[in-house]
């Protein structure tokens, strides 16, 4: 779609065929590698597509029974792609219009988000742990947080890690957001904690601009935060 006068105008439509057993498991993640060249992540496979000619340039089958969760272009030129348990690293050849696999990293637990926080460093977020991976020497270490989170939602915004979770206090469930300043050490510095007197679990965060952050919870409620100096959130 194109946005014309605040309305969506359909620009293009196409379909990608999958085998009959996986016909309901189409693309769920996409990333524009260069103009008109889109990388689609689906169930156990990648599709490199030229949307100008509607041509599939390359199809890559993966050996792990999961969907693609994230596609991330790194500062070193590689493209990092993760499913639930692995991160794959690819080099994209602009002349040949194809991907070449360079490396892979198996974590052994579900990976929900990856983010490059510095040149050569990737932050890996799982269901309750955070890992820092050094692309240069391929060393990985677990980041120690102030709390041992049993289950949570992680989100990276600017240079901060937001941890959303709910917790019972005197038989009353409350929702929390803990914020940590990200660094390259084994322990992140605790920055701010927010508590809400209701049991809903905040699952999504979107930074609209330098002064406003929007969040949504698992019951359909929205939250508006003012971002004050030094990334201090005011509800």
């Amino acid at each position: 779609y194109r946005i014309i006068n605040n309305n969506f105008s359909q620009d293009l439509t196409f379909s990608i065929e999958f085998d009959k057993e996986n016909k309901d498991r189409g693309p769920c993640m996409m990333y524009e590698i260069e103009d008109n060249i889109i990388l689609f992540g689906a169930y156990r496979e990648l599709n490199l597509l030229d949307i100008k000619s509607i041509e599939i340039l390359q199809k890559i089958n993966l050996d792990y029974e999961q969907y693609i969760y994230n596609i991330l272009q790194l500062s070193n030129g590689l493209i990092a792609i993760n499913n639930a348990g692995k991160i794959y690293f690819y080099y994209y050849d602009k002349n040949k219009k194809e991907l070449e696999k360079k490396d892979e990293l198996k974590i052994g637990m579900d990976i929900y988000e990856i983010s490059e926080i510095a040149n050569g460093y990737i932050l890996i977020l799982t269901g309750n742990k955070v890992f820092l991976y050094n692309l240069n020497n391929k060393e990985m270490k677990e980041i120690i947080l102030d709390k041992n989170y049993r289950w949570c939602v992680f989100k990276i915004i600017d240079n901060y890690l937001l941890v959303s979770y709910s917790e019972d206090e005197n038989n009353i469930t409350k929702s929390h957001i803990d914020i940590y300043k990200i660094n390259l050490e084994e322990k992140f510095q605790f920055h701010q904690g927010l508590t809400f007197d209701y049991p809903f679990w905040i699952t999504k965060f979107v930074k609209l601009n330098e002064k406003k952050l929007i969040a949504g919870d698992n019951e359909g409620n929205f939250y508006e935060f003012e971002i004050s100096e030094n990334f201090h959130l005011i509800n």
Side-chain angles (χ1 to χ4, degrees), residues 121-148:
Y121 288 90
I122 295 178
L123 207 60
I124 301 169
L125 310 178
T126 70
N128 60 353
K129 292 181 182 294
V130 180
F131 297 93
L132 185 66
Y133 181 67
N134 187 328
L135 286 166
N136 300 313
N137 59 21
K138 298 185 179 181
E139 289 184 354
M140 187 169 67
K141 60 183 179 182
E142 182 180 345
I143 297 299
I144 306 301
L145 302 176
D146 280 2
K147 294 181 182 178
N148 183 21

Side-chain angles (χ1 to χ4, degrees), residues 126-203:
T126 70
N128 60 353
K129 292 181 182 294
V130 180
F131 297 93
L132 185 66
Y133 181 67
N134 187 328
L135 286 166
N136 300 313
N137 59 21
K138 298 185 179 181
E139 289 184 354
M140 187 169 67
K141 60 183 179 182
E142 182 180 345
I143 297 299
I144 306 301
L145 302 176
D146 280 2
K147 294 181 182 178
N148 183 21
Y149 298 98
R150 184 172 60 87
W151 190 253
C152 59
V153 171
F154 290 117
K155 181 65 179 178
I156 299 169
I157 297 179
D158 295 340
N159 199 38
Y160 295 87
L161 175 67
L162 281 63
V163 186
S164 169
Y165 62 101
S166 51
E167 199 171 61
D168 289 339
E169 300 176 13
N170 299 321
N171 294 322
I172 298 175
T173 303
K174 295 185 178 183
S175 179
H176 302 268
I177 300 174
D178 291 347
I179 304 173
Y180 293 85
K181 180 74 180 264
I182 293 174
N183 54 51
L184 297 180
E185 305 299 326
E186 292 186 9
K187 184 175 175 62
F188 287 180
Q189 180 183 356
F190 185 80
H191 178 70
Q192 183 188 3
L194 298 167
T195 300
F196 308 95
D197 291 326
Y198 30 79
F200 311 128
W201 192 20
I202 296 176
T203 59

Side-chain angles (χ1 to χ4, degrees), residues 32-82:
E32 186 179 35
I33 294 181
E34 60 173 321
D35 289 346
N36 298 313
I37 306 298
I38 308 292
L39 180 61
F40 285 98
Y43 181 78
R44 293 189 64 181
E45 73 176 53
L46 299 169
N47 292 278
L48 191 64
L49 183 75
D50 185 336
I51 61 170
K52 200 170 183 180
S53 62
I54 317 298
E55 177 188 1
I56 295 181
L57 304 173
Q58 186 180 13
K59 179 178 177 179
I60 300 173
N61 293 313
L62 302 175
D63 60 352
Y64 206 83
E65 296 272 352
Q66 284 290 347
Y67 287 93
I68 301 301
Y69 284 9
N70 298 283
I71 301 173
L72 177 67
Q73 201 153 18
L74 304 174
S75 58
N76 64 2
L78 293 180
I79 297 169
I81 299 161
N82 82 276

Side-chain angles (χ1 to χ4, degrees), residues 87-151:
I87 302 176
Y88 305 85
F89 298 95
Y90 288 89
Y91 167 73
Y92 174 64
D93 189 321
K94 288 187 176 182
N95 295 320
K96 295 181 179 179
K97 305 294 184 188
E98 67 179 25
L99 294 166
E100 178 186 351
K101 184 179 175 182
K102 292 295 184 181
D103 202 1
E104 70 177 51
L105 175 66
K106 186 174 182 179
I107 303 298
M109 59 185 69
D110 285 355
I111 304 167
Y112 292 107
E113 187 173 346
I114 55 176
S115 179
E116 185 175 25
I117 62 170
N119 189 7
Y121 288 90
I122 295 178
L123 207 60
I124 301 169
L125 310 178
T126 70
N128 60 353
K129 292 181 182 294
V130 180
F131 297 93
L132 185 66
Y133 181 67
N134 187 328
L135 286 166
N136 300 313
N137 59 21
K138 298 185 179 181
E139 289 184 354
M140 187 169 67
K141 60 183 179 182
E142 182 180 345
I143 297 299
I144 306 301
L145 302 176
D146 280 2
K147 294 181 182 178
N148 183 21
Y149 298 98
R150 184 172 60 87
W151 190 253

